């Protein structure tokens, strides 16, 4: 099959144009207006890429000022906008020179080397490669971006472009600069040209798909976080807590698991005396204090109302009681500072434990911890209780 360079260019321009239309339609939808996630900048970047190849296709029919100088500057501008789009998505800023210096250098070199195709492919190619390195760097340096998989399409595209730029520079250095050009009128394309076309089209297509998927992945994570997080205290809600507890019990491998049921003492009196906003602040501060005392794999969640629950893997009953006592003392020892002044409060805790030598269900553990919490409340509050043997001191006997 004979391929015509202009046909390849037309295919590239058509593909990019359809992507631009799709991206602008996506960014202009009602639920995305004003949203800063980089989609708008990415759409403009692909638009500049499309204009670049349109100018290249018209080479020989329009002045070189447009087909060479303007085309190279638009290409550098597209790369700069791709970098800006990714940074906007990541909610980060880069020094402005990383955007504008490549543009200025490209303009300068394109003017100086307008009649030197070998020099353009080498020196301007280095600028494009530097821009792709910046793109790869921001992708690799952001942990949230790498939480999904779509970023790999963008990273792979950046690597592919660098390799193609290296190939074109090598061809230019070897004295066959015409083979590195995107099109040569009246001649069948060389394999170098075909590889370049495929790489450029694949990078634009897969890169755009990858960026859209990156936005979708983060949106999905945010929705999941909202669905599994208590909006007041920012700790896992009851659903997330129970899911974690079930998974912990399923993979405990014979190790004990402790469960602590925690209730804020006399919380209704706090609401009645100081108002619900202060009551909300009390819950937030208590949750924050307890979070600071837990281990990394312990999970604190809001069970409902003023009740919290802690799931502590690899914790026997003695360790669970020590943990519960430390949490009780942490809350009771220091007043909470609110807009209505200092408020002294305390918590009561019921403890249950899943031992390594028995088989129990989560429902049973919850019932036992709830019964122990009731004992702690009935024993005077500000207590830790367990339905088995209890330590002396502040711990209440069942």
């Amino acid at each position: 099959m004979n391929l015509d360079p202009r046909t390849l260019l037309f295919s590239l321009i058509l593909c990019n144009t359809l992507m631009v239309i799709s991206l602008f339609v996506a960014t202009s939808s009602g639920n995305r207006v004003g949203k800063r996630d980089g989609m708008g900048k990415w759409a403009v970047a692909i638009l500049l890429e499309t204009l670049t190849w349109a100018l290249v296709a018209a080479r020989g029919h329009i002045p070189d000022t447009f087909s060479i100088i303007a085309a190279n500057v638009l290409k550098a501008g597209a790369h700069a906008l791709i970098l800006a789009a990714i940074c906007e998505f990541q909610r980060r800023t880069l020094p402005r020179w990383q955007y504008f210096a490549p543009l200025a250098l490209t303009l300068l070199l394109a003017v100086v080397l307008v009649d030197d195709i070998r020099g353009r492919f080498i020196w301007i190619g280095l600028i494009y490669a530097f821009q792709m390195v910046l793109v790869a760097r921001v992708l690799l340096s952001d942990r949230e971006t790498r939480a999904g998989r779509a970023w790999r399409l963008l990273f792979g595209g950046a690597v592919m472009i660098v390799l193609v730029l290296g190939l074109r520079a090598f061809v230019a250095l070897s004295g066959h600069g015409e083979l590195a050009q995107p099109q040569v009128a009246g001649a069948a394309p060389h394999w170098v040209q075909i590889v370049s076309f495929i790489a450029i089209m694949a990078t634009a297509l897969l890169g755009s798909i990858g960026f859209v998927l990156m936005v979708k992945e983060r949106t999905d994570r945010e929705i999941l976080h909202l669905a599994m997080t208590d909006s007041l205290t920012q700790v896992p809600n009851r659903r997330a807590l129970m899911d974690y507890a079930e998974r912990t019990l399923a993979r405990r491998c014979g190790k004990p698991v402790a469960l602590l049921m925690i209730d804020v003492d006399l919380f209704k009196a706090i609401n009645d005396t100081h108002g619900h906003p202060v009551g909300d602040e009390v819950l937030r501060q208590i949750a924050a204090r307890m979070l600071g005392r837990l281990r990394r794999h312990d999970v604190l969640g809001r069970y409902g109302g003023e009740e919290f629950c802690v799931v502590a893997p690899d914790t026997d009953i003695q360790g669970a009681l020590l943990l519960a006592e430390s949490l009780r003392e942490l809350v009771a020892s220091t007043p909470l500072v609110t807009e209505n002044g200092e408020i002294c409060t305390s918590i009561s805790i019921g403890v249950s434990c899943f031992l390594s030598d028995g088989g129990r269900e989560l429902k049973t553990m919850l019932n036992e911890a709830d019964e122990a919490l009731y004992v702690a409340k009935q024993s005077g509050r500000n207590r830790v209780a367990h339905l088995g043997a209890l330590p002396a001191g502040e711990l209440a006997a069942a």
Side-chain angles (χ1 to χ4, degrees):
M1 179 178 63
N2 293 325
L3 296 174
D4 179 70
R6 293 187 182 276
T7 302
L8 292 175
L9 266 175
F10 174 78
S11 301
L12 178 58
I13 294 169
L14 178 62
C15 179
N16 277 14
T17 301
L18 293 175
M19 280 191 295
V20 169
I21 294 172
S22 300
L23 289 168
F24 276 114
V25 169
T27 55
S28 62
S29 61
N31 61 342
R32 297 191 55 82
V33 174
K35 195 169 185 179
R36 296 180 59 82
D37 54 14
M39 285 279 288
K41 286 184 173 62
W42 189 279
V44 176
I46 301 302
L47 175 61
L48 294 186
E49 288 256 11
T50 306
L51 295 176
T52 297
W53 297 117
L55 291 176
V56 170
R59 187 169 297 172
H61 302 282
I62 60 175
D64 288 348
T65 302
F66 297 103
S67 65
I68 295 178
I69 299 175
N72 279 284
V73 173
L74 286 175
K75 182 66 172 171
H79 292 168
L81 275 174
I82 286 173
L83 180 63
I86 295 172
C87 288
E88 183 175 293
F89 167 81
Q90 296 176 345
R91 302 184 180 102
R92 68 194 293 184
T93 56
L94 291 179
R96 291 193 174 185
W97 70 265
Q98 296 188 18
Y99 302 116
F100 296 109
L103 274 172
L105 284 174
T106 300
L107 175 59
L108 176 63
L109 290 174
V111 171
V112 173
L113 303 173
V114 67
D115 296 320
D116 183 2
I117 186 171
R118 179 175 178 271
R120 291 203 309 273
F121 276 93
I122 294 172
W123 295 109
I124 297 181
L126 283 175
I127 296 174
Y128 294 161
F130 173 72
Q131 291 181 298
M132 290 298 101
V133 169
L134 290 178
V135 168
R137 178 175 172 271
V138 296
L139 289 171
L140 288 173
S141 61
D142 185 68
R143 182 176 298 179
E144 183 187 359
T145 299
R146 291 186 286 109
R149 297 182 179 181
W151 71 275
R152 298 175 185 175
L153 290 175
L154 276 71
F155 183 80
V159 172
M160 187 184 302
I161 288 297
V162 171
L163 293 176
V164 168
L165 289 170
L167 174 63
R168 282 153 56 97
F170 174 78
V171 171
L173 284 170
S174 67
H176 298 283
E178 72 280 358
L179 299 181
Q181 296 187 68
Q183 52 93 3
V184 179
H190 190 269
W191 67 269
V192 173
Q193 295 171 300
I194 296 176
V195 168
S196 299
F197 275 115
I198 292 174
I200 293 168
M201 187 178 295
T203 300
L205 178 61
L206 296 180
S208 297
I209 293 174
F211 191 80
V212 172
L213 289 177
M214 275 173 49
V215 174
K216 181 183 181 300
E217 285 177 345
R218 188 172 69 183
T219 301
D220 289 344
R221 290 194 297 269
E222 290 173 348
I223 292 173
L224 180 62
H225 176 77
L226 290 174
M228 305 295 277
T229 303
D230 175 59
S231 59
L232 176 64
T233 59
Q234 295 303 304
V235 299
N237 58 20
R238 181 168 181 166
R239 174 185 173 185
L241 183 70
M242 294 301 99
D243 285 347
Y244 177 77
E246 292 281 9
R247 293 196 307 270
T248 301
L249 292 176
R251 61 171 182 254
R252 65 190 183 89
C253 298
K255 297 180 180 179
V257 176
L259 188 145
L260 282 59
M261 189 72 73
I262 304 165
D263 186 81
V264 180
D265 295 326
L266 302 174
F267 183 70
K268 185 177 183 301
I270 295 175
N271 276 336
D272 292 342
T273 303
H274 301 281
H276 288 278
V278 172
D280 291 344
E281 180 61 26
V282 166
L283 291 178
R284 280 193 291 266
Q285 291 193 35
I286 289 176
R289 284 192 185 185
M290 292 191 294
L291 276 175
R293 182 60 59 91
L294 299 178
R295 301 170 299 178
R296 185 176 62 181
H297 55 277
D298 295 337
V299 171
L300 169 71
R302 188 177 179 191
Y303 193 70
E306 67 271 22
E307 285 190 333
F308 295 89
C309 193
V310 172
V311 178
D314 301 339
T315 304
D316 58 18
I317 187 58
Q318 183 178 4
L321 291 171
L322 289 174
L323 172 61
E325 179 61 20
S326 70
L327 294 176
R328 183 203 64 78
E329 184 178 1
L330 180 67
V331 174
S333 61
T334 307
L336 303 174
V337 180
T338 71
E339 61 183 23
N340 283 13
E342 294 185 345
I343 296 178
C344 294
T345 188
S346 62
I347 57 176
S348 298
I349 304 177
V351 179
S352 176
C353 191
F354 191 121
L355 301 176
S356 58
D357 57 353
R360 307 174 68 188
E361 294 183 355
L362 176 60
K363 181 179 179 180
T364 304
M365 292 185 69
L366 288 170
N367 289 337
E368 183 177 298
D370 192 55
E371 291 176 14
L373 176 61
Y374 178 79
V375 170
K377 289 283 191 180
Q378 292 298 108
S379 300
R381 300 185 180 86
N382 193 23
R383 297 288 191 273
V384 173
H386 170 53
L387 295 184
L390 302 171
E394 292 292 334
L395 304 180

